């Protein structure tokens, strides 16, 4: 697809250069090769789009929450998957209530670029995770793991809440 895109881009640039040298539409558009070149570029772009859609579908199958993210945002996430701080702005699209995570700060005050220890809801509620989580590898894989640790964290918070409220005594455990 990359080779095809480069060819299409070169054809487009060449066509636009011809249009720029002779801006009269009746002269430039009347050339017989212009229509065939534009049709060829269109067919190539359709093929590239289909391949891109198939690629994005494979990523969505691994992490189904990607279905809630636009194709443009998903491409940005996949391109920046090795840089988790650039993924964070899209978390609200993937998770209903999550808007942010807190990156771990070491004893020297340096903020980690991969390790998180708290999740922040859209209403501002901050919940410490049951353990620090490192976002590394393919973005769709580590987001699945993040989902798991978020679920374990919420389960833990609910268990602690039930114990402290005395609901265990009421037989609700």
């Amino acid at each position: 697809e990359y080779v095809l895109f480069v060819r299409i881009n070169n054809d487009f640039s060449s066509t636009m250069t011809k249009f720029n040298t002779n801006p009269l539409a009746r002269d430039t558009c009347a050339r017989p090769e212009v229509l065939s070149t534009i049709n060829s570029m269109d067919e190539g772009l359709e093929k590239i789009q289909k391949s891109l859609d198939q690629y994005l579908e494979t990523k969505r199958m691994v992490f189904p929450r990607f279905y809630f993210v636009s194709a443009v945002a998903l491409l940005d996430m996949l391109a920046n998957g090795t840089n988790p701080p650039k993924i964070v702005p899209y978390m609200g699209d993937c998770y209903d209530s999550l808007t942010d995570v807190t990156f771990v700060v070491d004893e020297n005050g340096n903020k980690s670029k991969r390790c998180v220890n708290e999740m922040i809801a859209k209403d501002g509620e901050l919940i410490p995770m049951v353990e620090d989580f490192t976002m590394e590898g393919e973005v769709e894989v580590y987001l699945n793991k993040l989902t798991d640790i978020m679920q374990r964290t919420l389960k833990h918070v609910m268990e602690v809440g039930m114990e402290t409220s005395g609901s265990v005594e009421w037989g609700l455990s």
Side-chain angles (χ1 to χ4, degrees), residues 19-113:
F19 282 14
N20 190 37
T21 57
N22 187 1
L24 297 175
R26 65 179 173 175
D27 294 338
T28 52
C29 293
R31 294 183 188 159
E33 75 275 0
V34 171
L35 182 60
S36 64
T37 301
I38 290 173
N39 285 336
S40 173
M41 288 188 293
D42 187 49
E43 289 170 9
L45 288 174
E46 284 180 19
K47 181 180 178 188
I48 292 169
Q49 184 65 48
K50 285 180 185 177
S51 295
L52 177 61
D53 290 342
Q54 288 173 347
Y55 172 73
L56 295 180
E57 184 64 23
T58 62
K59 297 299 181 178
R60 287 178 173 129
M61 287 174 24
V62 174
F63 185 66
R65 292 175 183 264
F66 280 157
Y67 283 106
F68 302 113
V69 179
S70 71
V72 173
L74 180 52
L75 283 172
D76 193 33
M77 291 176 77
L78 295 171
N80 292 299
T82 57
N83 188 355
K86 290 191 174 185
I87 303 302
V88 172
Y90 299 109
M91 285 193 172
D93 296 337
C94 295
Y95 300 97
D96 189 34
S97 293
L98 184 71
T99 189
D100 202 356
V101 291
T102 304
F103 287 89
V104 174
V105 178
D106 66 17
E107 61 278 351
N108 297 326
N110 299 319
K111 187 187 264 189
S112 172
K113 293 190 188 284

Side-chain angles (χ1 to χ4, degrees), residues 9-24:
N9 190 49
N10 290 338
D11 288 349
F12 180 77
S13 296
S14 173
T15 302
M16 291 300 109
T17 300
K18 290 175 187 174
F19 282 14
N20 190 37
T21 57
N22 187 1
L24 297 175

Side-chain angles (χ1 to χ4, degrees), residues 126-143:
L126 188 139
I127 301 175
M129 293 180 171
V130 290
E131 63 187 59
D132 291 355
F133 177 73
T134 303
M135 293 193 260
E136 60 187 0
E138 294 181 337
V139 66
E140 64 274 16
V141 174
Y142 72 69
L143 285 177

